Amino acid sequence: MKEEELKAIAHYQANPYSFETPSSGQEEPGVDWAKVKLIFRRHWWSMLLFPLLAFLGGYLFLRYTKPLYQAEVTLKLIPKAEVQFSPFGNVMRQEWDNLMAGELEVIQSPLIYSRIIDALPLRVGYYAEGRILEKELYKTAPIEVKDYEISDPAWYERKIYFDYAGNGSYRLKVKAGEQTQEYEGTLGKLLAVDGMRLLIHANVPENALQEFSTPLYFVFHTDNYLYKYLQGNLEARIANQAAKVIQITFRGYEPYKTYEIIKEAVEAYTAVSIDIKNKANKQKEQWLEQKIQETEAELGGIEREIEAFIISNKSQEVGDNIEDYIQAIKSLTKEKTLLEEQVAALNKVEQLLDDTTTRPYSFFFTAIEDEFILQNLMKLNELKQSQAQLRLSVNENTLLYRKSIMQVAALKEQLRTYIAEKRRYLLAELFKLNRQIERSESEFVGIPSRNRSFNKLQQKYSLIERYYNELLSQKIQLGLAAAGTVPDFEVLSAPVVPHQPIAPNRRNVYLASIGTGVVLTLLWLVIQYLLHNTVESVQDLERLTRLSVLGSLPRSRKKDMAVSQIVVNDNPKSFVSEAFRTIRTNLDFMLPPSPDKTLSRFKNTSIAISSTISGEGKTFTTLNLGAIIAMSGLKVVLVDLDLRKPRLHLSLELPNHKGASTLLSGQHDIAACVHPTSVENLFVIPAGPIPPNPSELILRETFTTTLKHLKEKYDVVILDTPPVGLVTDGMLIMKHADLRIFVLRASYSKRLFVKRIEQMVKAHRLDRVGLVLNAVSSEEHGYGYGYGYGYGYGYYGDENVESTSIWHRLKHILQRKR
């Protein structure tokens, strides 16, 4: 055994799959348009299937998605006069913007939700159950729960199915785990069950109730559930900040229910706005009512004192001078009283300013007649209310909240300064009045005490009477103001019943479905393009390598054979026969010219046929190439050197108890191992029993001697070798052959195999190497619509390579018709 042959065996046993990228025959970079055309031809169905599936998905989505409706209303907030024309300018305008945010919180607050829940029949929901979707029967249900009382919370949020039994009776079905509980009742009569009492009335005649075939059920909702339902679907947002426009929307699956909820939300917001505005008036009215009652009691006591004085003295006449003094003192006393009340009121207001809480001030004292103090106190109340609302939604350290605190402090400081000045003025006036009263009283000392006492009673009565009349007047004014209170907004667009759903949008869904189908198709084609790494045509093969391409064999459109067979003798004019003749001719050009021009170039020639892996059609090519050469008059012998998994004896139905393995081991001679075939001039030496050491048999000198004897006895010796990509035997045989043929299979052999063959040829310095592409489609092969054969066999367990499924055959039929 030669040293370099031993090195070759060791190298390929250690690295049977290793290869280097050849320097020649590189695949061109960029888009392979032939490959693109092949992908489109093979996967044309995806351009119909994916858009159709996507369109069907869009249809099913629309079919089984509940339509969503939206009702909306637009409000414009009206700025208050003191805010719009405030001397504080930008500060107050910023405050107005903050108040708009506060209005949004009021609209989306539980205060509004509770009014909606109390005004509308939402606590009991009625539904008609379909096969896929359910429909809410808002105010259209054939039944109605008129009255109910639930003591067991387990009845809430449970489906209670109603089944009318006829004659006014019904059954209620409730699922409890895997069991179903049933209760029988009568329409219009109270039904008491465990933890619940309810009264059900029919809204339709009995015959209509019997014809209602859709399963009907109702659900008791808790207020907490309804709060979350309204919170999740009711939305208020600022539509236009500059124009002070707010938009309120509500979304739901029942259009009329959606309309009524948004309508009731506006009414609830109106009522809440009026209540907030009337809150100060109510506090003032309560204070006035309390003072009126106290004043009435005081007037009654003075009247009784006057009556007792007249009765006891039997006279009420006084002199003219006494009357003048009395009137003077009376007038001064009244002024003094008013001044003292004003000073007391100022002190009270100053005490209120020291209050650091956010509670509103009660400042309605009749002694305060200063409009500046009243207006600023009202503004201070509004700022404190705004500050309280901000505290609920923002942190104390936020700029907006700190700004609100600064505004309150500035307004308080302004009021304290004004009150101090006003108090100094009132105390000075009070001091003057006290001096005048003292002088008048000193001059009145001479008047009889009886008349003085009487005059004092009259003076006191008159003063309290005027005070009482003033209280009544203010109460009447408050009543008129409350009756004329309107909210600080106006409705720009009233809500209407939505007739068209906002979702799903049929046009957009179908467009999106078609777009998705197109994207999926393109993605599928791109993936197929990127994953496609097999040789498809002779053109592919020529682009990948500089090795000679001897020809191509057409793909069978009839059926696959269990084992490779000779087919060129069945129909010599068939496409496959012509293809093998072309290969034979191209092989002839690869041989050197014969010295005797009367002899064929194939004289004394050995041809080794191999493949990279199993299933590429090596044995099929060996049989039919040998047969086509034998049909030309040359004597051909086929030698099965695939000693690991022989196949030629199966194809020709020959015994395999002796053959190449026994011939190389010296057990038999050539004559004992050769078998004739049905084709004239074609002989076969099968592989024989499988030896334990196939590589050692090939490396023996016996192999070279045997090959020389065969070439002397036969014109052409064709060697069927093992796949070179799996074992080393094939390359060892190739080195002793005159011609080398590598068989590849279209749509099966990887492009990498071509590179591997090039690497092997370069590494072993082989010449006269040709490639044959097997199982090429008729479109690629160029033989029209005739029939042909493309066969392969499995190697080491890979027996069936071609798909024989109905879908595979149908796809080929559709491709051929195209």
Side-chain angles (χ1 to χ4, degrees), residues 73 75 101-120 122-123 223 226-231 233-236 246 248-250 260-276 389 487 489:
V73 63
L75 307 178
E103 294 300 317
L104 296 182
E105 295 300 325
V106 172
I107 295 173
Q108 300 176 112
S109 66
L111 183 62
I112 301 296
Y113 298 158
S114 61
R115 289 177 178 264
I116 296 175
I117 295 172
D118 292 338
L120 298 178
L122 302 178
R123 288 188 170 91
D223 287 354
L226 295 175
Y227 282 149
K228 293 181 179 179
Y229 168 73
L230 294 175
Q231 185 180 16
N233 295 281
L234 184 66
E235 180 185 5
I246 292 177
I248 308 174
T249 60
F250 185 83
E260 285 210 333
I261 289 177
I262 196 69
K263 179 183 176 183
E264 188 58 38
V266 175
E267 294 180 359
Y269 178 48
T270 302
V272 170
S273 299
I274 293 176
D275 289 345
I276 292 174
Q389 292 181 356
F489 64 86

Side-chain angles (χ1 to χ4, degrees), residues 659-718:
S661 61
T662 60
L663 179 63
L664 296 177
S665 62
Q667 300 179 28
H668 300 92
D669 56 7
I670 294 176
C673 297
V674 174
H675 297 274
T677 66
S678 60
V679 179
E680 187 179 0
N681 296 325
L682 181 64
F683 300 90
V684 177
I685 298 178
I690 299 176
N693 54 347
S695 298
E696 284 74 5
L697 290 178
I698 300 298
L699 290 174
R700 289 180 180 178
E701 194 68 29
T702 308
F703 173 73
T704 306
T705 305
T706 302
L707 182 60
K708 180 179 180 181
H709 291 164
L710 288 174
K711 291 171 64 175
E712 292 174 354
K713 187 176 181 179
Y714 298 93
D715 296 326
V716 179
V717 180
I718 299 180

Side-chain angles (χ1 to χ4, degrees), residues 124-143:
V124 183
Y126 304 89
Y127 304 88
E129 187 176 64
R131 289 180 299 176
I132 301 296
L133 302 177
E134 61 183 21
K135 180 182 180 182
E136 184 174 3
L137 305 176
Y138 180 75
K139 293 188 175 181
T140 59
I143 62 170

Side-chain angles (χ1 to χ4, degrees), residues 784-798:
Y785 297 105
Y787 72 91
Y789 298 88
Y791 300 99
Y793 72 92
Y795 201 82
Y796 297 142
D798 186 11

